Amino acid sequence: MISYAKQFISKEDIKAVVEVLKSDFITCGLKVQEFERRFSRYTGSKYAVAVSSGTAGLHLACLAAELEKGDELITSPLSFAASANCALYCGAKPIFIDINEQGLMDENSLKKKITKRTKIIIPVHYGGLPCKLDKIQKIAKKYKLIIIEDAVHALGARYKKSKIGDCKYSDMAVFSFHPVKHITTGEGGMITTNNRKYYEKLLMLRTHGITKDKSKYVSKVKSQISNIGSWYHEMQLLGYNYRLTDIQCALGISQLNKIDSFIKKRREIANKYDKAFKNAKNIEIIKESKDQFNAYHLYPVRVKENKTRFRIFNYLKKNNIYCQIHYIPIYWHPYYQKLDYKKGLCSKAEDFSQREISIPLYASLKSEEVNYVINKIFEFF
Ligand SMILES: *Cc1c(COP(=O)(O)O)cnc(C)c1O
């Protein structure tokens, strides 16, 4: 069976996990900080905060940015529900913006969507292809908006000279370590930022809003700080338990060691698909521009019609190739329909979604398997 995505776990990964299991700390230990340090070094950010999932990361990033009831958050409908759900968690309203030819937020329509209530923009680097971050940032600055990148697909991607996650063009960036993503910790996520205020708040929010940092105490005990017991701590914010364990962080560190080879492999496979489908009449591919370095989380292609997509999906499945659709427009889901988002709201995203199919792409996909996928696709047409 060939699926659209799959993790790669090596002997070293297993060894790293077993070592933690035999140690004193399986959570709240030093592996967490080590993973964060390594991750921020890789992405080029000042700070990184490990969390229990990408979704938890988006939620906390919105809380750190003080997203509240009555506020609006602009994001792409061609994404996983979590990109918009984070607004709902905070009582805010997701506003959907249409996409361009590459499946990315169309920055030219941004201004039309901005109101007095807009607080956050969440660009989604769909499939691993970075959005035009400099243009989005320019608009965000003008209207004093906060940018949180949904960088879940884009670990290792670059826009112009900036590595995604370095937050050159944004306030925070969020990653996921679900097994289908570039590196995995089972479940897990990371937020990167260069802003110390956000960083400190994120650290507290991920662990119940509690701090054990003496310099941050706000109660009266502050005046007698030298006398208080080492058990003392303060809950200052309503936070969550969104921590990542040391077991998971050890796996994350070991996986991160392999990221460059993973990306290289993904790009080789994508290159092979590009060549095969470049002149195909029935298949549209997405090309990267000179400013974009695609990390290729996905390889999305579009066929001519929804009917064809349905048939090719089933044809490939019969041949043991398990593709996936990315995505059903977020506001088409029944929960959002009940919130009164009308179908037709973002027509380009809807059309894209109806014709899209993501074909297999992962680091351990063999060359013969890539050929098999290509052959089966041509056989279908
Ligand atoms: C996977 C994914 C998420 C959520 O990450 P989890 O770690 O599964 O919570 C968010 N946004 C996008 C675009 C994703 O693909």
Side-chain angles (χ1 to χ4, degrees):
M1 175 188 133
I2 306 175
S3 89
Y4 83 96
K6 195 184 193 170
Q7 74 275 18
F8 176 78
I9 303 286
S10 68
K11 281 202 196 101
E12 300 89 74
D13 291 341
I14 294 167
K15 198 164 152 248
V17 170
V18 170
E19 266 169 32
V20 173
L21 287 170
K22 290 178 179 165
S23 75
D24 288 335
F25 289 96
I26 58 174
T27 192
C28 301
L30 293 174
K31 286 288 169 197
V32 182
Q33 288 155 42
E34 187 184 336
F35 187 31
E36 290 172 341
R37 265 199 315 274
R38 298 277 283 274
F39 198 88
S40 66
R41 198 186 309 152
Y42 176 73
T43 53
S45 68
K46 267 199 190 138
Y47 310 106
V49 178
V51 287
S52 53
S53 69
T55 305
L58 287 165
H59 184 193
L60 292 194
C62 287
L63 287 174
E66 295 179 349
L67 186 69
E68 286 166 3
K69 192 163 186 273
D71 293 337
E72 292 177 355
L73 174 153
I74 301 175
T75 193
S76 165
L78 192 74
S79 186
F80 185 57
S83 308
N85 289 351
C86 56
L88 297 178
Y89 297 155
C90 301
K93 186 176 180 194
I95 302 291
F96 296 102
I97 181 171
D98 217 344
I99 56 160
N100 62 23
E101 261 306 293
Q102 290 184 314
L104 305 175
M105 167 182 284
D106 176 16
E107 68 286 344
N108 297 316
S109 327
L110 252 178
K111 278 188 192 157
K112 276 183 282 183
K113 296 279 176 180
I114 295 171
T115 71
K116 280 195 303 248
R117 296 179 165 174
T118 312
K119 192 171 242 172
I120 293 174
I121 305 173
I122 299 196
V124 180
H125 305 309
Y126 175 81
L129 197 62
C131 298
K132 292 193 180 108
L133 287 169
D134 48 353
K135 298 203 168 131
I136 296 170
Q137 186 191 42
K138 210 170 150 202
I139 298 166
K141 277 201 171 137
K142 184 166 171 208
Y143 294 93
K144 296 195 167 55
L145 307 176
I146 292 158
I147 301 175
I148 299 170
E149 294 170 71
D150 183 332
V152 162
H153 295 184
L155 182 61
R158 292 197 294 269
Y159 181 67
K160 294 193 169 168
K161 282 187 181 123
S162 136
K163 175 97 73 59
I164 296 300
D166 71 2
C167 298
K168 178 170 179 208
Y169 301 105
S170 70
D171 297 277
M172 288 172 264
V174 178
F175 297 86
S176 160
F177 310 128
H178 182 278
V180 299
K181 313 287 158 76
H182 289 85
I183 64 168
T184 189
T185 61
E187 299 281 356
M190 191 76 80
I191 310 160
T192 59
T193 184
N194 296 325
N195 180 313
R196 186 159 185 97
K197 218 178 75 203
Y198 289 144
Y199 172 63
E200 288 178 353
K201 203 157 167 196
L202 290 167
L203 286 180
M204 275 174 77
L205 286 168
R206 110 177 134 184
T207 180
H208 311 280
I210 287 176
T211 183
K212 287 201 83 175
D213 178 348
K214 284 188 186 128
S215 67
K216 301 223 153 42
Y217 292 161
V218 293
S219 322
K220 294 221 176 61
V221 288
K222 207 172 172 178
S223 56
Q224 24 167 315
I225 213 115
S226 52
N227 299 326
I228 61 175
S230 60
W231 64 83
Y232 188 79
H233 57 270
E234 287 184 354
M235 183 198 132
Q236 299 175 348
L237 303 165
L238 185 60
Y240 297 82
N241 179 352
Y242 279 168
R243 293 186 303 259
L244 196 61
T245 66
D246 283 56
I247 306 167
Q248 291 168 301
C249 289
L251 180 55
I253 293 162
S254 182
Q255 287 262 302
L256 193 58
N257 287 337
K258 295 188 276 276
I259 184 67
D260 288 335
S261 70
F262 283 173
I263 302 278
K264 188 162 169 268
K265 195 69 208 297
R266 282 173 177 275
R267 286 185 59 87
E268 278 165 17
I269 296 166
N271 195 13
K272 215 161 164 182
Y273 283 146
D274 282 350
K275 284 205 177 109
F277 301 128
K278 196 170 55 188
N279 299 315
K281 278 202 306 286
N282 302 306
I283 296 252
E284 267 173 79
I285 58 171
I286 298 175
K287 295 190 187 86
E288 68 187 349
S289 75
K290 69 172 183 7
D291 290 338
Q292 295 166 313
F293 182 87
N294 195 339
Y296 284 108
H297 162 53
L298 301 172
Y299 195 89
V301 301
R302 274 163 296 170
V303 294
K304 285 215 172 96
E305 290 182 308
N306 184 246
K307 265 199 317 234
T308 319
R309 196 265 303 274
F310 193 78
R311 281 175 39 236
I312 194 172
F313 186 92
N314 289 328
Y315 180 81
L316 294 173
K317 195 166 157 192
K318 250 189 266 151
N319 286 286
N320 279 319
I321 302 166
Y322 288 74
C323 296
Q324 184 57 280
I325 304 307
H326 295 96
Y327 290 91
I328 298 165
I330 295 174
Y331 61 82
W332 277 23
H333 287 292
Y335 187 86
Y336 279 85
Q337 284 294 298
K338 270 194 290 184
L339 295 178
D340 223 17
Y341 290 88
K342 300 270 183 296
K343 289 195 178 172
L345 182 66
C346 299
S347 57
K348 286 182 192 150
E350 292 181 15
D351 172 65
F352 191 112
S353 156
Q354 291 281 291
R355 299 191 289 117
E356 192 271 350
I357 177 168
S358 300
I359 62 175
L361 179 57
Y362 47 89
S364 59
L365 191 64
K366 294 192 192 77
S367 178
E368 311 90 80
E369 292 171 325
V370 177
N371 293 339
Y372 176 75
V373 172
I374 294 169
N375 289 339
K376 286 291 159 193
I377 290 173
F378 281 117
E379 197 178 283
F380 171 82
F381 283 110

